Amino acid sequence: MILDDPAATEALGARLAVLVRPGDVITLEGPLGAGKTSIARGLLAALGLEGEAPSPSFAIVQPYAPPEVRFPVLHVDLYRIDDADEIAELGLDEAESDSLLLIEWPERAPGYWPDALMLTLAIEEDGQRRLTAAVPPGWRERWQQI
């Protein structure tokens, strides 16, 4: 899928918001500036977040809870994680059953979320973004609606 500009990237996030539910994990992979946080911002806005969602680069985990959003969401940025063992300290396993997890830089923890909807963004020469998706069984019907 080609995303023409930042607005199209955020719009994809908004379309995902209609389909997500607690217990889902979406990973967002790609180079700096590819649009990972833009997808997350579009999704969070469509779930009810007013104002701009900050990038969780320094906080690592940015939680959102009702009434701020429809259901709990953890926006996670693993860019600063040096060792996958550090992920256990973040408490994501406990939150996974009742929250949506949005994970940026999942390549810092390979194989950690095997059932995630894995979205990868690449920057094309003309500045557009190319999105590829690895769609697990639990997402196949929903992904067709994108």
Side-chain angles (χ1 to χ4, degrees):
M1 172 185 307
I2 297 294
L3 303 168
D4 292 326
D5 53 32
T9 306
E10 285 193 25
L12 172 67
R15 290 193 309 272
L16 283 168
V18 175
L19 306 173
V20 295
R21 51 188 161 218
D24 283 340
V25 178
I26 298 174
T27 62
L28 302 163
E29 190 172 342
L32 286 170
K36 298 178 296 294
T37 301
S38 293
I39 290 173
R41 285 181 176 144
L43 192 153
L44 288 162
L47 288 177
L49 183 67
E50 295 181 12
E52 189 169 321
S55 172
S57 294
F58 294 102
I60 299 178
V61 177
Q62 181 67 46
Y64 299 94
E68 187 176 39
V69 289
R70 243 183 16 228
F71 54 79
V73 178
L74 294 179
H75 184 188
V76 182
D77 187 324
L78 300 179
Y79 185 74
R80 295 184 25 224
I81 296 292
D82 294 320
D83 185 335
D85 292 337
E86 295 176 54
I87 293 171
E89 298 171 21
L90 300 177
L92 301 178
D93 291 340
E94 296 86 35
E96 192 171 337
S97 65
D98 67 353
S99 301
L100 166 65
L101 299 183
L102 295 174
I103 312 290
E104 294 189 39
W105 299 98
E107 60 272 29
R108 303 274 188 191
Y112 209 85
W113 295 281
D115 298 321
L117 173 63
M118 294 181 257
L119 304 179
T120 302
L121 290 154
I123 303 171
E124 300 290 300
E125 287 184 23
D126 62 2
Q128 293 180 319
R129 301 321 193 237
R130 177 175 301 279
L131 176 89
T132 56
V135 182
W139 266 93
R140 287 199 181 120
E141 285 185 33
R142 291 185 279 167
W143 185 251
Q144 292 175 9
Q145 298 174 49
I146 291 293

